[in-house]
Amino acid sequence: KLSELETKMEEVHIEQSDNDLFTFGETIKDYISIIQSAKAAFDERVKIFSTWESAQSTLAKKREAKNKATAQGKAERVAQCEEDIKFWEGKVEKCQEDFELISKNLKDEIRIFEEVWVREVKEAVTSYFQKTIDNQKQIVGHWKEFLPEAKIIN
């Protein structure tokens, strides 16, 4: 009877181990992966914003250079500055679009995260603890079955 009890207990422990790994461990691993992806996306957003600011600064310098060239009457230099200004205006616009797009995408992903992942993690944790409680009940039941045998040994 004791060996049967040990076999039953081993089965429950294997079931609990699987529960630990698959129900809880995988959910937490996925959750951490999503958070790492979000962090990378925020880092990219910061980089895009920095590029946008740099482009705005360069555009302002090009405009100053054009004004200076205009004041000095350097027509050739003015023409080159106008080309530079057009280029940097396009760059500023593109950076702004990129920043707005990544910001929108991040907001959408955060909304999905809040709506879906928080619920899924809550469900997984609830399931994990319910399975753990069920396993503990099985262990108690197995010991209760063995109790009459244990009393005979005394």
Side-chain angles (χ1 to χ4, degrees):
K1 284 286 191 173
L2 185 57
S3 65
E4 289 175 16
L5 173 66
E6 287 298 319
T7 301
K8 290 176 183 179
M9 298 295 272
E10 183 179 351
E11 289 171 2
V12 172
H13 287 171
I14 289 171
E15 189 177 317
Q16 182 62 44
S17 175
D18 289 346
N19 184 37
D20 291 348
L21 178 62
F22 299 117
T23 303
F24 195 66
E26 288 296 317
T27 301
I28 297 302
K29 183 182 119 244
D30 291 346
Y31 196 75
I32 289 170
S33 176
I34 287 172
I35 290 172
Q36 288 172 333
S37 294
K39 181 187 178 303
F42 275 107
D43 290 345
E44 186 63 23
R45 182 176 179 261
V46 167
K47 201 162 87 176
I48 289 171
F49 184 77
S50 177
T51 302
W52 180 25
E53 281 188 323
S54 176
Q56 286 175 324
S57 175
T58 301
L59 176 60
K61 289 176 186 173
K62 296 296 180 183
R63 286 179 175 155
E64 287 175 23
K66 179 188 172 210
N67 290 340
K68 185 177 177 183
T70 301
Q72 293 175 349
K74 297 181 180 179
E76 197 173 294
R77 180 74 180 125
V78 169
Q80 177 62 44
C81 287
E82 286 174 348
E83 286 180 33
D84 290 346
I85 288 170
K86 281 184 181 182
F87 172 81
W88 284 101
E89 284 175 339
K91 182 105 170 145
V92 165
E93 187 175 316
K94 172 78 168 94
C95 289
Q96 181 177 0
E97 289 170 2
D98 290 348
F99 180 77
E100 289 171 357
L101 179 64
I102 197 168
S103 295
K104 180 194 172 302
N105 289 341
L106 276 169
K107 286 176 185 176
D108 291 344
E109 289 299 320
I110 289 169
R111 183 184 46 76
I112 291 168
F113 178 81
E114 289 174 343
E115 292 173 2
V116 176
W117 267 98
V118 170
R119 184 185 69 243
E120 287 183 12
V121 168
K122 183 179 177 182
E123 289 171 1
V125 169
T126 301
S127 172
Y128 169 78
F129 284 121
Q130 187 59 53
K131 288 177 184 176
T132 300
I133 289 168
D134 293 344
N135 287 339
Q136 293 301 313
K137 287 178 181 177
Q138 284 182 12
I139 289 171
V140 169
H142 294 320
W143 279 107
K144 282 183 179 178
E145 287 175 14
F146 183 71
L147 187 58
E149 296 292 326
K151 287 183 179 179
I152 293 172
I153 295 171
N154 276 340

